[in-house]
Amino acid sequence: MDARLEAKLGFDKVREAIQARCSTEYAAARVAGEEFCGDGAEIHRRHLLTDEMRLILMFEDNFPTSGYIDAIPFLEPIGKNASIDLLSLGKLRTLLDTLRRALHFFHTVKEGIYPNLQHLASGISAPAEVIARIDTILDRHGEVKDTASDELYKIRRSIRDKETNVSRRMNAILRQAQQDGLVESDASVAIRDGKLLIPVASAKKRAFQGFVYDESATGKTTFMEPAEIVALQNEIAELHFAETRELARILYEFAEFLRPFVPELIDGAAFIGELDFNMAKAHVALDYVAGMPVLSEEGELRLRKARHPLLEKSLKREKKAIVPLTVTLTPEKRILLISGPNAGGKSVCLKTVGLLQYMFQWGMLIPTSETSELPVFRRIMVSIGDDQSLENDLSTYSSFLSDMRAMLEEADGRTLVLIDEFGSGTEPAAGGAIAEAILHSLDQRGAYGVITTHYTNLKLYASGAETGVINGAMQFDAATVTPLFQLETGLPGSSFAFELARKMGLPEAIVHDAEERAGEQYVGIERNLRKIARSRRALDEKLTKIRATDKTLEGLTDRYQKELEEVKEMRRLILDEARAEAEKIVKSANKRVESTIRTIREAQADKQQTKEAREQLQGFLGALAEERGRRDAYIDERLKTVQQRKAREQERKRKRADGKTLKQMDEEEAAARQMAAFRSAPLKVGEKVRVKDNGMVGEVAKVSTKAVSVIVGNITTKLPLDRVERITAGEYKAVAKAPAERPRQVYDESLRERKARFKPELDVRGERVTDALEIVMKYIDDAIMLSVPSVRILHGKGTGALREEIQKYVRTVPGVTSATDEHVQFGGSGVTVVKLD
């Protein structure tokens, strides 16, 4: 692994992007440890695994994309006689559930669809005995069941009984103290640090049998623990100690049971890690709209519609489109010498070839047409950028010569060399001569390469038919003096130095003097190069127009022929149906008329019966009219359906005209659908989540049907399920490492109205803890958004539980500098003052 090479090519950013999509540390370590490979079979195996996973993410909804947990760190110690803790037990259950679902998918999917991933799954199992044993210990929320052991059941039942007894006794003691005048009539049992206390008037505390635990801010109330409750609480504490010992015994006993299965479970955890590793690569491939190219056996490098993934992502942020690149290197013409003006795309072309070749041999899918072909190189060597070093006494040109020495020592027919601004950094004549000699040596060694330069002697060398070097030029619009970022092979490029000088506003006299000093021969060569380029471009444009016209005509002919056949078929069907319906109507009408005539005759012209017969006939004719109307509506609906189908087809054609292929559209839709499925899948213990309201991230500790317990830093908080969303390990790390930023202020009319209505004081007295926290969350968010410097939250004193929960939450909110009790004079511990930065 060459860190300098990866940094020069930009692969370090690709590696970071893949690591960010990993859910497990195992997969992240695999990404960090995976190396550039020179074995074609191994490269192909890596590609197949990634491509199969990409197809699964696109098309398989029943494949598990969540629940990927690191289990090896706690499984290995168990194999060495260690025990297991409760959190690790919950993670193990999540892992086994994911493993079971993944194996079920590969065992039930049709043989041969994903053969490489199915082979990876062979020999892996999720022990049913372990899953069953865990289910006897943990409930669906991750808590140890009372029935995990008989002893635990007895202990917990005793705890509940004694806690109920304590509660009854506390209420009785409170009532007695109120009757004795020691406690105010409206007082209630208080809670301090989990202890149940009686709020006794300080002046009468000596008359109360108990222990002083705390005092109010004003000193008027003393919180005391009744003496008889202390003994009960001690008994409860002893029972809790017994519960802890019993839980430790149960977990140790489970570890003893688990130990024989540890090697099998480690294999399963490694398999899950490999799936996560390949899934991360597949996610990034979908982000890059990448595909699997062909491994060339003939030593040809043919990149078709290649895109630099990092540049494309940067341009998308600026709402710009990248220009795809097509490059061809063959055993006959192995080195591409690109010339042209500065900022014309030469370096981008070189780095695109280098990065995609490195990604290819690392085992990553690449953003090109899947008809692209790439060979396998033993090494890639680069000279890109300025590596001057004061410590090592290296100038820019000395650094370049150091790179060239290394290339000349190692370059051979299985080496790809990438040299940017070949020969620059020293006196042009000497630099050009040295560069030409180096180019000749690399050519003789059979090395492949992409080289950028401005030197004319190198362009002339590449023009020789006997060399393995071919010229290439980045196209430039001379009329507007702007680059087109399109590579044209076969011709050298012009520097357009004088044109750029004129465009940048240099005095014409200076430019003209420069042209004379350059000499007529140089100016003539540049002029002829531009003429040849313009002529070739004009010819290419004409050929493109002719091809486009032919294709359009063919498309129109096919479309009109298809539409004509559709119209004929529809006309035939409608006419056939109309004829059949008409025959049916005529037959029915004839029968009805004959029946009416017969009725009239038999009635011997009785007026009443004649009138009724005529009314029946009129009703029949009306029914016929209604039937005809329904038939017309049905035909209109059929025609409307055809028109809608044609409109959908036109929309897809429009998207293709915007540069999107059907494959790209399908892959983008699949990527969006897959991410939505990842976000919405049920949460499991050990997964990383983000709180939607404030962006804080944490780890899932417990999950129930309606709520989830999340560990945020050192605090565990319980939240509704709809207030959190699953995130990847990369997203978790990015948020955890980043400093809390205050939201950017946005001023508009609605914000000004909200600020005018905003009150700097919130009263949540009388609210339940969960409801009060919900109100406080929204209130603090509004205060931060409206840039309010401080607010007051009135929660009352009571037992102190509401104050403790509110302050604990507020201190975790980014943007809050402090949350303290108000001054005694203004409410003391019954009011919390929140300062915002």
Side-chain angles (χ1 to χ4, degrees), residues 405-438:
R405 181 185 61 201
M407 288 184 185
L408 293 174
E409 287 174 354
E410 298 187 30
D412 56 20
R414 292 192 61 192
T415 302
L416 175 66
V417 297
L418 305 169
I419 308 174
D420 195 23
E421 298 295 343
F422 195 23
S424 63
T426 189
E427 192 275 322
I434 292 174
E436 186 174 350
I438 294 172

Side-chain angles (χ1 to χ4, degrees), residues 434-503:
I434 292 174
E436 186 174 350
I438 294 172
L439 178 60
H440 176 71
S441 178
L442 293 174
D443 183 19
Q444 293 298 310
R445 292 165 182 262
Y448 286 68
V450 179
I451 300 173
T452 68
T453 188
H454 288 286
Y455 286 131
T456 302
N457 63 313
L458 299 183
K459 301 177 191 177
L460 294 174
Y461 178 87
S463 301
E466 70 283 356
T467 70
V469 185
I470 184 171
N471 273 306
M474 300 308 297
Q475 294 185 14
F476 203 79
D477 189 338
T480 59
V481 197
T482 53
L484 300 177
F485 304 110
Q486 295 176 349
L487 177 66
E488 184 177 30
T489 56
L491 290 174
S494 169
S495 67
F496 287 91
F498 301 124
E499 288 78 0
L500 287 171
R502 288 189 174 93
K503 182 183 179 182

Side-chain angles (χ1 to χ4, degrees), residues 790-833:
S790 66
V791 295
R792 299 174 78 246
I793 302 174
L794 280 67
H795 42 67
K797 297 179 181 179
T799 64
L802 183 57
R803 163 187 170 274
E804 184 178 349
E805 289 299 323
I806 287 176
Q807 290 191 2
K808 184 166 68 174
Y809 163 71
V810 169
R811 289 182 182 127
T812 65
V813 178
V816 173
T817 57
S818 66
T820 57
D821 292 341
E822 178 62 280
H823 191 274
V824 175
Q825 184 179 357
F826 302 108
S829 60
V831 180
T832 294
V833 179

Side-chain angles (χ1 to χ4, degrees), residues 132-319:
R133 184 67 177 268
I134 293 175
D135 288 340
T136 65
I137 298 174
L138 296 183
D139 62 18
R140 57 196 180 95
H141 304 306
E143 296 287 350
V144 177
K145 295 179 179 179
D146 293 351
T147 56
S149 74
D150 294 340
E151 183 64 22
L152 183 63
Y153 180 80
K154 292 177 183 178
I155 292 171
R156 287 184 173 176
R157 187 176 61 182
S158 298
I159 290 174
R160 286 192 292 269
D161 292 342
K162 290 189 179 296
E163 286 177 343
T164 302
N165 189 22
V166 167
S167 179
R168 283 200 301 266
R169 287 301 306 143
M170 282 296 294
N171 289 326
I173 293 169
L174 177 65
R175 287 193 299 271
Q176 185 61 47
Q178 288 171 336
Q179 292 174 5
D180 295 341
L182 303 178
V183 179
E184 294 181 1
S185 60
D186 61 345
S188 60
V189 175
I191 298 177
R192 290 286 189 277
D193 299 327
K195 289 184 175 293
L196 297 173
L197 307 172
I198 301 294
V200 181
S202 295
K204 302 176 181 180
K205 62 183 180 182
R206 296 185 183 280
F208 185 83
Q209 295 296 318
F211 302 95
V212 174
Y213 188 81
D214 198 0
E215 191 176 57
S216 67
T218 61
K220 294 180 180 180
T221 303
T222 300
F223 296 95
M224 303 184 68
E225 185 175 17
E228 65 177 286
I229 297 298
V230 172
L232 291 173
Q233 291 286 18
N234 289 339
E235 292 177 9
I236 292 174
E238 290 176 1
L239 285 172
H240 279 298
F241 292 145
E243 179 189 27
T244 301
R245 290 192 297 272
E246 180 62 15
L247 288 175
R249 188 195 66 78
I250 291 169
L251 292 175
Y252 184 78
E253 188 177 278
F254 174 78
E256 288 289 323
F257 161 78
L258 190 66
R259 199 158 286 122
F261 297 96
V262 166
E264 185 179 353
L265 291 173
I266 289 177
D267 290 342
F271 169 69
I272 288 296
E274 287 295 324
L275 289 183
D276 186 29
F277 168 61
N278 284 287
M279 197 185 309
K281 291 169 65 179
H283 275 303
V284 174
L286 288 171
D287 291 342
Y288 291 163
V289 193
M292 186 173 71
V294 178
L295 196 153
S296 174
E297 302 288 347
E298 308 299 328
E300 295 183 347
L301 187 153
R302 298 182 184 275
L303 287 174
R304 299 179 176 92
K305 297 181 180 180
R307 309 179 316 280
H308 193 292
L310 305 180
L311 176 61
E312 185 175 30
K313 186 176 181 180
S314 176
L315 290 174
K316 277 185 178 179
R317 287 196 293 266
E318 300 173 11
K319 297 184 178 180

Side-chain angles (χ1 to χ4, degrees), residues 71-85 88-89 92 251-252 254-263 265-266:
I72 295 178
F74 64 80
L75 284 174
E76 288 180 338
I78 292 174
K80 300 174 183 177
N81 296 323
S83 185
I84 187 171
D85 58 55
S88 296
L89 183 59
L92 179 60
L251 292 175
Y252 184 78
F254 174 78
E256 288 289 323
F257 161 78
L258 190 66
R259 199 158 286 122
F261 297 96
V262 166
L265 291 173
I266 289 177

Side-chain angles (χ1 to χ4, degrees), residues 487-715:
L487 177 66
E488 184 177 30
T489 56
L491 290 174
S494 169
S495 67
F496 287 91
F498 301 124
E499 288 78 0
L500 287 171
R502 288 189 174 93
K503 182 183 179 182
M504 297 305 296
L506 255 62
E508 181 59 33
I510 298 293
V511 178
H512 183 69
D513 184 33
E515 288 178 334
E516 290 184 348
R517 291 175 183 273
E520 182 61 32
Q521 183 179 3
Y522 175 81
V523 176
I525 291 173
E526 290 288 306
R527 188 181 298 116
N528 288 332
L529 284 175
R530 290 195 295 274
K531 285 182 179 179
I532 293 171
R534 280 196 300 270
S535 299
R536 181 166 177 173
R537 194 176 305 118
L539 179 60
D540 288 343
E541 288 176 357
K542 288 181 180 179
L543 288 173
T544 301
K545 287 181 180 178
I546 291 170
R547 292 192 189 101
T549 303
D550 289 345
K551 189 174 180 180
T552 302
L553 289 173
E554 290 176 4
L556 286 172
T557 302
D558 293 342
R559 190 183 72 184
Y560 289 149
Q561 183 64 32
K562 185 178 178 181
E563 289 180 355
L564 180 61
E565 291 174 357
E566 288 179 355
V567 169
K568 286 180 178 179
E569 179 64 17
M570 187 177 296
R571 181 175 178 273
R572 184 186 65 78
L573 290 173
I574 293 173
L575 288 176
D576 289 347
E577 291 177 2
R579 288 193 189 99
E581 190 66 24
E583 290 177 3
K584 181 180 176 182
I585 291 170
V586 169
K587 289 179 180 178
S588 179
N590 288 337
K591 289 180 181 179
R592 183 54 63 90
V593 170
E594 290 173 0
S595 175
T596 302
I597 293 171
R598 186 167 57 252
T599 300
I600 293 172
R601 285 176 178 172
E602 290 175 354
Q604 295 180 356
D606 182 83
K607 289 183 179 182
Q608 182 61 31
Q609 290 187 357
T610 301
K611 182 180 178 181
E612 291 176 357
R614 286 176 177 172
E615 288 176 352
Q616 290 177 0
L617 182 59
Q618 289 297 328
F620 175 71
L621 293 175
L624 288 180
E626 289 180 6
E627 179 65 23
R628 185 166 57 251
R630 285 195 296 270
R631 192 64 191 175
D632 291 343
Y634 169 75
I635 292 172
D636 291 340
E637 185 66 26
R638 290 283 301 277
L639 291 173
K640 183 179 178 181
T641 302
V642 173
Q643 291 170 353
Q644 289 174 346
R645 188 168 64 248
K646 290 181 179 179
R648 287 195 297 269
E649 183 62 28
Q650 290 295 329
E651 176 64 17
R652 291 185 73 84
K653 289 181 179 179
R654 183 189 65 75
K655 288 184 178 179
R656 288 198 294 270
D658 289 340
K660 292 186 178 180
T661 64
L662 288 173
K663 179 183 175 184
Q664 287 174 325
M665 287 186 280
D666 290 340
E667 289 180 344
E668 288 175 0
E669 292 171 2
R673 191 167 59 250
Q674 186 60 43
M675 181 53 71
F678 172 76
R679 298 287 192 203
S680 61
L683 291 173
K684 297 183 179 178
V685 174
E687 292 187 323
K688 306 297 187 294
V689 294
R690 172 169 48 229
V691 181
K692 295 179 182 178
D693 295 344
N694 50 35
M696 291 189 297
V697 298
E699 182 175 340
V700 176
K702 299 177 187 176
V703 183
S704 66
T705 55
K706 295 183 179 179
V708 58
S709 294
V710 181
I711 303 173
V712 181
N714 295 324
I715 298 173

Side-chain angles (χ1 to χ4, degrees), residues 43-55:
I43 293 170
H44 190 54
R45 187 190 71 85
R46 295 180 185 180
H47 287 167
L48 289 173
L49 287 171
T50 308
D51 193 54
E52 287 178 10
M53 185 60 74
R54 179 178 68 98
L55 295 175

